[in-house]
Amino acid sequence: MEKEEKVPLKKILLICSKANLEDVYAALVMANGAVMEGIETKIFFTFFGLDAITKKTMNKLHTATTGNPGMRMPGGLPFPTLLGGLPGIEAGVSAMMRKQMEELDIPPVDEFLELITAGGGQIYACKLAMDMFKLSKEDLSDEVEAVITVGELYEMCDGAGTQIVFT
Amino acid sequence: MDKLIAGVNVSVNEEGYLTDSSQWTKEIAAAIAAEEGVELTDKHYELIEFVRNKVANGETLTIRGIGKSGVVNAKEFYGLFPGAPLKKATKISGVPKPTSCI
């Protein structure tokens, strides 16, 4: 039998297309973890994911309190969808989640981006989504390397040991 | 298992991390650093001291925490221990491999 050679992960590209707190943090934690391991890391933010790199919105991300079956009341009781729709509930729950993350030393989004770029990770924004949402480079965090097209994105993904993950 | 580092027999785990932090010396640090391709400077030793104190106090090590240590910022930390800084810094500091994801 032929011996399979083990190719270590050398480069990872994470794609984040959602603005939910948990989706953005999943991408950021995985990206930061890769940077910490010395893996070449890039994150591509597209569609609603752009909220995570837009100065105005990046530190005010919400988690969905309606249509989210994972949502629980403190203590573990089910979280009624009707309650989740009341004004202020989503903001309150999201603020509580951010507070709990801070306690675990998980940084706010702006600082997390800085940590990732400090280790050599690169942040990119999707050109098409930028046009759609009428955003310009100035609206984005200074940590954003460039606004690029999908073609340019794939060009960066050359080489053995490269993986693309859509979060 | 035991390993001869800088002329001293110390106990290490299979990844080469010291299992008894009290066996650590500056000479051992320099020898492990050399294996990792790092040449230790005063700044490295300053950071090693910070890392050892943190661990001795039972605190969790994160890159964010080290970036706020006042010794180095996150970028400088990556510069001091290129590649996987937290893993390398703890190994050289003679403390266990960190279990933190951030």
Side-chain angles (χ1 to χ4, degrees), chain A residues 56-104:
Chain A
K56 255 192 217 164
T57 48
M58 59 199 300
N59 285 336
K60 295 176 186 146
L61 300 178
H62 279 190
T63 193
T65 48
T66 56
N68 181 356
M71 202 72 213
R72 299 272 190 286
M73 301 284 263
L77 286 171
F79 194 97
T81 292
L82 278 173
L83 175 64
L86 296 178
I89 293 289
E90 190 176 281
V93 167
S94 302
M96 197 192 279
M97 266 179 76
R98 282 196 296 265
K99 190 170 154 275
Q100 283 175 348
M101 292 199 297
E102 179 65 44
E103 283 167 15
L104 287 172

Side-chain angles (χ1 to χ4, degrees), chain B residues 2 4 8 13 43 55 57 70-71 77 90 92 101-102:
Chain B
D2 283 353
L4 194 67
V8 193
N13 68 11
K43 201 79 191 163
V55 174
N57 292 335
V71 181
F77 182 44
T90 48
I92 295 167
C101 286
I102 45 166

